[in-house]
Amino acid sequence: MAAVAEQLRDADAALIAAWRGGQESAAAALVRRHTDALARFLAAAGAREDLDDLVQETFFRAFRNIEKFRGASSFRTWLMAIGSNALKDHRRRRRVTVLPIEEREIEDRASDPQAQTLERDLLDRLQAQVVSLPPMQRDVFLMRAQQGAEYAEIAAALGTSVGAARVHYHQAVKRLKTVLE
Amino acid sequence: MNGNDRTTEARLVRLASQLGEREAAGVDAQRTAWAVMARLRSQPAARRAWWSRMRLVPLAAAATLVLVVGLGIRELTQDGTEEQIAVPIEFAELPDDALQEVLDSLALDAPVSDLVPVALNELTESELTALLETMEG
């Protein structure tokens, strides 16, 4: 697992170097490699009909600020931190309000016939609860749960300490466990 | 953390790893790549901020000093008299275009107007001296 992660990092580093050197196809390759993970992260964090735009905006910001990427975290985790900021900016601009759990459940069930299953119901509840977490708790939790990222990497990407990242994660888990009870 | 807590957390993580899957499936990576590359092409990176360009000012000033001192030494070796040495270090007295010409003659990569955010002749003599001293240590 660690070896695979290391290989992915090396491949990303090579593509980033190529992009910095002016090779446009390298940036396109980076987009293709990370679009799915980034989209899942953003959707889990609450992006909906604006998901496409947010994914593009995140990559655009990342490439425009590529010199700030020092490799302290993986490129993917760094992208997610940028995506989280883009989501926050987007919500501020659009004044998007997060719907309360009950309202979201009704909407989701209405638009998804498979939502009758227990698993789907749990996912919906969990999704609503994740969205309602404080942003730092949400980001740390998702980076760890979806990407298996280490605390040090998460801390570097989010500009916090390892200890604080650990606390955020445990706080998030504590709150999210109520969904399973 | 007891065993039960770990099991619950593991279940939570398993569920969380599925969040966003449905929505992400609708995002096309190739289309995203095209859109991002098109935007990068149509919106070139903004020019560097003036304060980052300021870093090149000492370099330009040092190069100018070397040039000017070099001219002075050449005058000395050609004429042999100390009285005739004219090292033009009074930058403030140079007109705009002359100053520009001197700096441009250094064949810097960027035009001097890009390197120097303010006209050098707008600086006082003491400011210019201070600038040059930063390069001399």
Side-chain angles (χ1 to χ4, degrees):
Chain A
M1 185 76 175
V4 173
E6 197 60 37
Q7 282 176 359
L8 289 174
R9 267 188 185 232
D10 289 348
D12 281 345
L15 288 168
I16 291 165
W19 159 247
R20 280 175 166 154
Q23 204 176 313
E24 205 176 76
S25 59
L30 282 165
V31 174
R32 286 192 295 271
R33 284 166 69 83
H34 299 291
T35 290
D36 183 63
L38 176 63
R40 280 197 294 126
F41 171 82
L42 288 170
R48 283 291 173 270
E49 70 282 352
D50 46 3
L51 184 58
D52 259 313
D53 290 345
L54 277 168
V55 170
Q56 289 175 24
E57 174 66 21
T58 302
F59 279 115
F60 180 76
R61 289 186 187 188
F63 290 128
R64 274 286 170 268
N65 294 285
I66 198 75
E67 75 281 356
K68 292 179 185 164
F69 177 66
R70 308 275 184 221
S73 66
S74 70
F75 182 67
R76 181 172 289 183
T77 308
W78 186 65
L79 271 179
M80 288 173 180
I82 295 172
S84 177
N85 283 330
L87 179 63
K88 186 174 70 183
D89 293 346
H90 180 77
R91 281 186 175 153
R92 195 184 297 137
R93 263 199 314 276
R94 300 264 305 266
R95 294 187 180 176
V96 174
T97 50
V98 178
L99 297 175
I101 293 174
E102 294 77 11
E103 215 171 324
R104 290 179 58 83
E105 282 180 351
I106 291 164
E107 283 205 345
D108 286 349
R109 285 202 183 104
S111 61
D112 181 2
Q114 294 179 338
Q116 302 301 316
T117 63
L118 181 62
E119 184 89 342
R120 187 70 253 164
D121 187 53
L122 261 179
L123 279 175
D124 287 344
R125 286 175 182 275
L126 180 61
Q127 167 78 87
Q129 196 74 346
V130 166
V131 169
S132 70
L133 288 174
M136 196 63 121
Q137 285 183 23
R138 179 198 68 202
D139 292 351
V140 171
F141 175 76
L142 288 176
M143 285 174 180
R144 198 154 166 78
Q146 291 194 327
Q147 299 302 317
E150 298 293 333
Y151 287 118
E153 185 187 349
I154 295 170
L158 295 175
T160 187
S161 68
V162 173
R166 201 183 292 273
V167 170
H168 286 309
Y169 176 78
H170 286 291
Q171 287 297 317
V173 167
K174 198 173 157 189
R175 291 178 69 164
L176 296 174
K177 273 180 179 174
T178 59
V179 174
L180 303 182
E181 288 164 3
Chain B
M1 188 183 277
N2 60 36
N4 199 26
D5 282 343
R6 286 207 182 86
T7 307
T8 310
E9 184 183 336
R11 190 172 172 216
L12 200 54
V13 168
R14 183 181 62 76
L15 284 169
S17 67
Q18 297 173 48
L19 292 179
E21 270 181 358
R22 277 184 307 172
E23 295 82 358
V27 179
D28 185 279
Q30 187 61 49
R31 196 182 63 220
T32 303
W34 284 333
V36 172
M37 300 323 294
R39 193 169 161 203
L40 285 168
R41 279 185 224 112
S42 67
Q43 296 177 30
R47 296 186 66 179
R48 286 191 298 160
W50 66 268
W51 47 265
S52 67
R53 278 183 268 141
M54 270 296 280
R55 291 181 199 158
L56 295 174
V57 172
L59 180 67
T64 306
L65 185 65
V66 169
L67 178 78
V68 166
V69 171
L71 287 173
I73 290 169
R74 195 169 65 176
E75 291 244 347
L76 176 65
T77 52
Q78 281 175 351
D79 297 325
T81 55
E82 208 169 300
E83 290 75 18
Q84 288 173 332
I85 299 170
V87 183
I89 56 169
E90 303 296 331
F91 292 97
E93 290 175 17
L94 286 176
D96 254 349
D97 51 354
L99 194 56
Q100 188 72 33
E101 198 179 323
V102 170
L103 293 173
D104 285 345
S105 70
L106 298 172
L108 296 169
D109 288 337
V112 170
S113 56
D114 281 355
L115 302 175
V116 186
V118 293
L120 284 178
N121 71 344
E122 285 175 17
L123 298 177
T124 64
E125 197 168 345
S126 59
E127 285 171 330
L128 270 171
T129 305
L131 186 64
L132 293 172
E133 279 173 356
T134 61
M135 295 311 301
E136 293 174 291

